[in-house]
């Protein structure tokens, strides 16, 4: 693990000071160095050491490569020379630790490096010798320059200023000691929870594919070898329990896939997918323990595999199968993948926990899973620590092992978190562009197009095999190349004109060929060229697709460690030579998986196609099993799916065919499952549905079947069907438990089926346990109300002029608090509405009170509030107070809109646009224009024009919580139900499922706004007032409306203020409050400094006066045709009187807003 030099640097304080002083006496015996300068020189040397040790170093060769990569060329050349001299003396003295010619503390540095820098990783003693030799040379160089400057100034003490002048005077030293100005760090956008889930599923799919490759291609090839080629014990040692891991992983991936597809947010749906239940199920059943056995045997597997490759007969067999190179270079990497993947799960749970809201059901589940897996994680750390690197071998050096822009907390396990290629491509695009900017004369498509990551880079010698290495070094037929290996291309470059060695500078996004981490890239880039500095020249490029890779055997001591690359068209060939056999092995391990991927993928696809084949003779007779009836136009109608690549949608079918497709063994259609469970009550009953699922589960055995056919029949038909039935039952219980809660006989029948049928099948043990646990949780959830905890406190209550419930009315309560408490009441009603109350127009049937109680409550609540609005306005006899009441209701509508209570907005619109209220032209004339304009915006928003286009657009753009206008969805469902038949045309009585699918879309939208509650403080007194509203019917309100503003009158009738009488009545109880209130006008708007009915903050504008009496006659209005004229200006038209509101199935539904025209025509 690389050392964190920001925190560990102080631990090296005064570690090198004695050695630095001794070096200073050697280069300038006549001078001295003060303590401050001594500490400064040491700090700079420690920084250089940090750059060199940004990743563990194992041997002197790796140190040499790191020195050449980090230090400038000239300085590195001389520093490496000094280090080589120190190494020669060390070897000449018999490798005795104290026998070196160095002043710097080699032995102490060796101990400190292992403990504090390399995190216990083992390294050779020569690493310390090499590092100290380099540091000592750099120290002597800078002190010599600083001492020369001090002597020229005729001083004897080397000061800190002398040290700085020496650095500034030498460009090489300046490049070493002056920290490079870091480029502004590109902030990686933090992914949303659903994006993390999507990336997780991509990683899981790739992992399952890798396991398929191991089992289907490699394991089956070993098992299919002739007798004597591979012993059974050899196969068992190499592959261990990989089949168990494979079976578990495929099952786990399928459950994750179904859960994600079921809950993945659709466009305009911000629902968080829940996958915690899947992790909890396998963790409780200890299924992850298969990884423990596998990891224990991994080391032995590699040793046995190496011995197999040395067996000539085994090698010949593998060569005949075309797997010789794949077994040597690809299989070892595939075998180690499960070891990494289990640690990936440990880290994934931390990521999911961080991103999951604590109010979500998955939060507690993930916490439980972490507790269940804690002991397994500790056990695997102990077992795998000896052989598992911190980062997968040959993984991309540029991979940043962080979680979507945020560093991982657990640094030991952080490197095991996997990302998909798509996400890596997004994060690495900048680094890939920087690499291309370094290459002069680059040809072909951009690196960032078609490549996701840099897998490896380093120096290689390109040969023609006609010369020798000695000629190559003299500029003959061997040329040094700096080679970049990406996932789809191999790019060769030569050193640029400004480079004095044959090596290009390593990418700032990658380290040397030895392993490094993300932290190393930032530190090593200090001495690298900035983006845009071309230190390399483009030479050639190989496309990896179709490229042939050959391992070239050693010719002699000079021509060794070679491999050959042949382009797909055969016209381009290149032979590369590595410096060591280990380096060659690393290059081949990186190249072969890429070159062999097409052929291995083709072999795997053929194997999987064979597995998917189904024996036609194994089909059941429909007389014995009704679900085995072949598909035909008489029982099933399909139509293409709108989604690309999705299964065909069901247009119509018999009930048996609908249930059969619900549990189809070939694929799972989660959208169809969701639609079916939302709407099935419109064409069947819960009891009949459960009985059909039980019949579907009990698949009869085929007659006269051979044992092999029976095994394949169970694997390809019986088990998938039973798993599908289990998934349907679990979704039914989890999402629609009310069917069982309201019918004890149904629940009893279901539990008996679990006990009598499912429990007898050992393969369904986990399914039975999961169903039982789900039922228990749903029972507990229904028996106790779980308080929702919000991360932020609710806003403070806005009390109005009155806190005594006896004095509550529309004028004494604050409009904002009225809107809040209305919202809390209606949110609770809205969130109680169940899908079965909306299917088949249940709210309008004869037994609607029992079938759709919550939907009816929502409808009745809407009618109550809208009638209360009109009642309050027309029963206020005083004209001035009536204006205040109307203005206050318009303000409440504005407050409802601000907190996304669109149902409340519509209630007020319906109330003030009722016939009795809308005709009050004198009252409307006194409302401030700004208030009327704001209210008109709400009317436009709630308009039913273009099928509520404005409202739907707003709903899809806001964040929850929200209460949509419920009447809009009732209208949608009514149009769908009345405009489509229950059965398809014809005599076959095929259920019209297209109709149900459309209903399910509407019901799903209703559900999506039921998830998030409001974070508001309930006020029981105000809620009690709002739940016991006094309302009058439409006839009474219209009569009162005509009394207070008679038809044809030139001014409204007036009466004494009822509020003054009320204040006088309460004066005896609270004389102080009376004195406080009597000093202010009655209008709340005036008390805020504005006219009556004006919005907050309106000041300086006088309220419109009541119209004066006219000498001429006023034209009496005719409802629906003419308009009243007040003062020569048209007043709002009088809409036609509505004695009853719109009826749906005999129940009054929320009224619709009138058109915006002045009069109703």
């Amino acid at each position: 693990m690389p050392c964190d030099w920001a925190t560990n640097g102080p631990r090296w304080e005064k570690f090198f000071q004695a050695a630095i002083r001794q070096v200073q006496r050697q280069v300038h015996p006549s001078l001295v160095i003060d303590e401050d300068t001594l500490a400064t020189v040491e700090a700079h040397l420690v920084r250089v050491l940090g750059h060199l040790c940004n990743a563990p170093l194992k041997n002197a060769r790796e140190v040499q490569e790191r020195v050449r990569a980090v230090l400038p060329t000239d300085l590195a050349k001389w520093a490496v020379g000094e280090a080589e001299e120190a190494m020669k003396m060390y070897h000449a003295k018999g490798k005795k630790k104290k026998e070196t010619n160095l002043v710097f503390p080699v032995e102490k540095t060796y101990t400190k490096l292992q403990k504090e820098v390399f995190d216990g990783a083992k390294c050779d003693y020569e690493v310390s010798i090499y590092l100290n030799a380099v540091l000592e040379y750099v120290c002597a160089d800078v002190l010599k320059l600083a001492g020369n400057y001090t002597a020229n100034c005729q001083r004897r003490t080397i000061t800190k200023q002398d040290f700085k002048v020496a650095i500034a005077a030498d460009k090489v030293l300046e490049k070493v000691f002056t920290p490079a100005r870091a480029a502004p760090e590109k902030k990686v956008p933090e992914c949303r929870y659903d994006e993390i889930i999507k990336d997780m599923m991509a990683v899981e799919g790739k992992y399952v594919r890798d396991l398929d490759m191991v089992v289907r291609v490699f394991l089956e090839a070993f098992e299919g070898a002739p007798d004597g080629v591979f012993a059974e014990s050899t196969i068992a040692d190499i592959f261990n329990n990989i089949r168990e891991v494979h079976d578990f992983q495929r099952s786990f991936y399928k459950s994750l896939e179904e859960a994600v597809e079921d809950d993945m947010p659709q466009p305009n749906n911000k629902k968080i997918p829940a996958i915690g239940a899947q992790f909890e199920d396998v963790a409780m059943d200890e299924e992850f323990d298969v990884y423990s056995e596998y990891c224990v045997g991994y080391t032995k597997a590699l040793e046995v595999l190496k011995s197999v490759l040395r067996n000539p007969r085994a090698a010949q067999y593998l060569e005949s199968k075309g797997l010789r190179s794949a077994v040597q270079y690809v299989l070892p990497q595939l075998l180690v993948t499960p070891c990494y993947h289990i640690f990936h799960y440990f880290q994934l749970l931390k990521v999911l926990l961080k991103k999951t809201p604590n109010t979500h059901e998955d939060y507690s589940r993930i916490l439980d899973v972490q507790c269940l897996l804690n002991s397994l994680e500790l056990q695997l750390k102990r077992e795998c620590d000896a052989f598992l690197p911190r980062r997968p071998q040959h993984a991309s050096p540029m991979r940043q092992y962080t979680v979507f822009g945020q560093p991982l907390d657990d640094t030991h396990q952080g490197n095991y978190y996997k990302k998909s290629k798509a996400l890596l491509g997004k994060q690495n695009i900048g680094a890939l562009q920087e690499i291309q900017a370094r290459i002069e004369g680059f040809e072909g498509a951009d690196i960032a197009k078609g490549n996701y990551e840099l897998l490896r880079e380093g120096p290689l010698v390109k040969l023609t095999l006609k010369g020798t290495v000695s000629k190559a070094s003299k500029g003959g037929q061997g040329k040094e190349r700096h080679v970049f290996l990406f996932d789809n291309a191999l790019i060769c470059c030569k050193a640029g004109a400004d480079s004095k060695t044959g090596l290009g500078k390593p990418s700032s996004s990658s380290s040397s060929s030895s392993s490094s981490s993300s932290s190393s890239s930032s530190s090593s880039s200090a001495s690298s060229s900035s983006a845009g500095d071309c230190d390399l020249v483009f030479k050639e490029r190989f496309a990896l697709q179709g490229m042939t890779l050959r391992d070239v055997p050693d010719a002699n001591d000079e021509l060794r460690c070679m491999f050959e690359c042949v382009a797909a068209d055969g016209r381009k060939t290149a032979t590369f030579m590595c410096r060591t056999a280990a380096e060659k092995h690393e290059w081949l391990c990186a190249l072969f998986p890429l070159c062999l991927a097409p052929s291995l993928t083709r072999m795997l696809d053929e194997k999987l196609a064979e597995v998917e084949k189904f024996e036609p003779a194994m089909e059941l007779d429909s007389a014995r099993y009704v679900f085995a009836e072949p598909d035909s136009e008489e029982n099933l109608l399909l139509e293409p799916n709108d989604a690309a690549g999705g299964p065909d949608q069901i247009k119509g079918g018999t009930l048996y065919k609908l249930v059969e497709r619900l549990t189809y063994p070939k694929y799972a259609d989660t959208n169809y499952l969701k639609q079916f469970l939302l709407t099935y009550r419109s064409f069947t009953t819960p009891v009949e549905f459960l009985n059909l699922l039980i019949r579907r589960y009990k698949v009869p055995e085929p007659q006269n079947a051979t044992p092999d056919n029976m095994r394949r029949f169970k694997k390809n038909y019986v088990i998938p069907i039973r798993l599908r039935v289990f998934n349907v039952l679990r979704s039914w219980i989890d999402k629609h438990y009310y069917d069982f809660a309201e019918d004890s006989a149904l629940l009893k029948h279901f539990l008996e089926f679990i006990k009598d049928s499912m429990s007898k099948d050992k393969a369904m043990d986990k399914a039975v346990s999961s169903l039982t646990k789900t039922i228990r949780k749903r029972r507990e959830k229904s028996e106790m109300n779980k308080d929702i905890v919000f991360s932020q406190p609710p806003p403070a209550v806005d009390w109005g002029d009155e806190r005594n419930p006896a004095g509550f009315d529309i004028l004494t309560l604050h409009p904002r608090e009225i809107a809040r408490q209305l919202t809390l009441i209606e949110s609770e009603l809205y969130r109680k509405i169940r899908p079965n109350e909306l299917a088949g127009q249940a709210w309008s049937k004869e037994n609607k009170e029992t079938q759709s109680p919550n939907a009816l409550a929502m409808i009745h609540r809407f009618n109550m509030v809208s009638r209360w609005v009109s009642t309050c306005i027309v029963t206020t006899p005083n004209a001035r107070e009536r204006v205040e009441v109307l203005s206050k209701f318009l303000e409440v509508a504005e407050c409802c809109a601000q907190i996304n209570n669109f149902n409340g907005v519509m209630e007020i619109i319906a109330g003030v646009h009722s016939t009795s209220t809308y005709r009050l032209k004198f009252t409307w004339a006194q409302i401030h224009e700004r208030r009327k304009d704001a209210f008109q915006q709400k009317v436009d928003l709630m308009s039913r024009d273009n099928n509520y286009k404005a409202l739907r657009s707003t709903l899809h753009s806001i964040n929850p919580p929200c209460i949509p206008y419920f009447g809009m969805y009732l209208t949608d469902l009514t149009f769908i139900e009345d405009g489509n038949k229950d059965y398809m045309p014809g005599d076959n009585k095929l259920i019209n499922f297209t109709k149900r699918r459309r209903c399910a879309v509407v019901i799903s939208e209703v559900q999506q706004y039921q998830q998030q509650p409001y974070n508001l403080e309930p006020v029981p007194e105000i809620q009690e007032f709002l739940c016991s509203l006094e309302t009058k019917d439409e006839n009474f309100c219209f009569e009162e409306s005509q009394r207070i503003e008679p038809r044809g009158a030139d001014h409204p009738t007036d009466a004494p203020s009822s509020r003054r009488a009320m204040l006088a009545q309460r004066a005896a109880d609270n004389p102080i409050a009376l004195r406080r209130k009597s000093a202010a006008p009655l209008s709340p708007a005036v008390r805020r400094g504005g006219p009556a009915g004006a919005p907050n903050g309106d000041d300086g504008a006088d309220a419109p006066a009541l119209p004066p009496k006219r000498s001429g006659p006023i034209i009496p209005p005719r409802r629906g045709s003419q308009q009243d004229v007040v003062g020569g200006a048209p007043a709002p038209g009088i809409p036609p009187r509505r004695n009853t509101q719109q009826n749906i199935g005999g129940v009054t539904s929320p009224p619709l807003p009138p058109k915006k025209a002045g009069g109703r025509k």
Side-chain angles (χ1 to χ4, degrees), residues 170-384:
D170 190 284
K171 291 185 178 180
V172 175
L173 291 176
E174 185 179 19
K175 189 176 290 188
V176 174
F177 290 123
T178 303
R181 182 175 296 177
E185 185 176 353
K186 298 179 181 179
K187 185 176 180 182
V188 180
E190 194 167 343
C191 289
R192 302 190 309 270
Y193 184 94
D194 59 291
E195 293 174 334
I196 295 176
I197 297 297
K198 183 179 180 181
D199 192 71
M200 176 201 75
M201 294 307 299
V203 171
E204 288 295 298
K206 175 63 169 60
Y207 175 52
V208 171
R209 183 84 175 174
D210 289 342
L211 293 177
D212 286 339
M213 184 76 71
V214 175
V215 174
R216 302 297 182 190
V217 176
F218 292 100
L219 176 55
E220 291 184 2
F222 273 68
E223 291 177 338
D227 294 340
V229 177
F230 303 113
E232 291 185 5
S233 59
T234 300
I235 299 176
D237 289 339
I238 294 175
F239 296 97
N240 203 344
N241 65 329
I242 191 67
R243 269 207 166 92
E244 294 180 21
V245 176
H246 176 248
D247 293 341
F248 158 71
Q249 202 62 45
R250 285 191 69 88
S251 174
F252 183 50
Y253 174 65
K254 189 176 293 292
S255 66
L256 286 175
E257 192 175 37
E258 293 178 357
V260 169
E261 288 180 359
D262 190 23
D263 286 344
M264 202 67 184
Q266 303 297 325
N268 306 317
N269 183 0
K270 300 178 176 61
K271 183 180 178 182
I272 295 178
I275 60 171
Q278 282 65 36
F279 276 95
E280 189 178 27
D281 288 345
V282 296
M284 291 187 67
D285 294 333
E286 300 180 348
E287 294 187 61
F288 282 119
D289 289 354
V290 296
Y291 283 97
S292 178
E293 180 182 349
Y294 183 85
C295 292
V296 170
Y298 171 72
T299 305
K300 184 178 181 181
L302 290 187
E303 296 175 355
V304 176
L305 185 60
K306 290 178 182 178
S307 65
V308 166
L309 293 171
R310 292 192 293 266
N311 183 348
R313 188 178 178 188
Q316 182 180 4
Y317 168 75
L318 294 173
E319 189 69 38
S320 66
K321 292 289 185 179
L323 294 174
R324 173 69 176 82
S325 299
V327 169
Q328 183 175 358
Y329 296 106
V330 180
L331 182 57
Q333 299 182 48
L334 292 175
L335 290 177
V336 78
T337 304
C339 301
Y340 283 109
H341 202 78
I342 183 61
F343 285 105
H344 161 76
Y345 281 139
F346 299 146
Q347 196 60 54
L348 174 65
L349 290 171
K350 297 178 183 179
V351 178
L352 294 176
L353 187 67
K354 181 179 179 181
K355 292 292 183 179
T356 305
N358 57 7
T359 57
H360 194 265
E361 58 183 344
D362 258 11
Y363 189 83
S364 59
R365 288 174 175 171
I366 296 174
L367 279 176
D368 294 341
V369 174
Q370 284 186 318
C371 295
L372 292 170
L373 297 182
N374 184 51
S375 59
L376 177 63
E377 182 178 4
L378 295 176
Q379 176 189 351
L380 289 177
K381 281 182 181 180
R382 292 191 300 268
E383 294 173 351
C384 300

Side-chain angles (χ1 to χ4, degrees), residues 359-362 364-365 733-738 741 773-788 831 1010-1011:
T359 57
H360 194 265
E361 58 183 344
D362 258 11
S364 59
R365 288 174 175 171
I733 288 288
D734 193 41
K735 304 292 174 54
H736 307 274
Y737 182 71
Y738 48 81
K773 181 176 60 178
T774 303
I775 293 174
R776 184 172 62 252
K777 285 187 176 182
R778 295 298 300 176
R779 278 178 170 175
E780 294 173 354
K781 186 176 181 180
S782 61
E783 290 174 359
M784 63 178 183
N785 278 325
K786 184 179 179 181
D787 295 334
I788 299 174
R831 296 180 68 210
Q1010 294 178 323
Q1011 308 300 319

Side-chain angles (χ1 to χ4, degrees), residues 817-855:
E817 201 57 45
I818 293 177
R820 288 173 179 172
Q821 301 307 315
L822 278 173
T823 299
L824 287 176
I825 294 171
E826 293 170 10
S827 176
E828 183 178 0
L829 292 175
Y830 182 78
R831 296 180 68 210
K832 286 182 178 180
I833 298 173
R834 300 193 302 251
N836 64 322
E837 300 184 38
L838 303 178
Q841 290 183 286
W843 70 89
S844 62
K845 303 299 182 182
E846 293 182 359
N847 54 351
K848 56 192 174 187
E849 287 78 9
T850 57
Q851 294 296 320
S852 187
N854 298 302

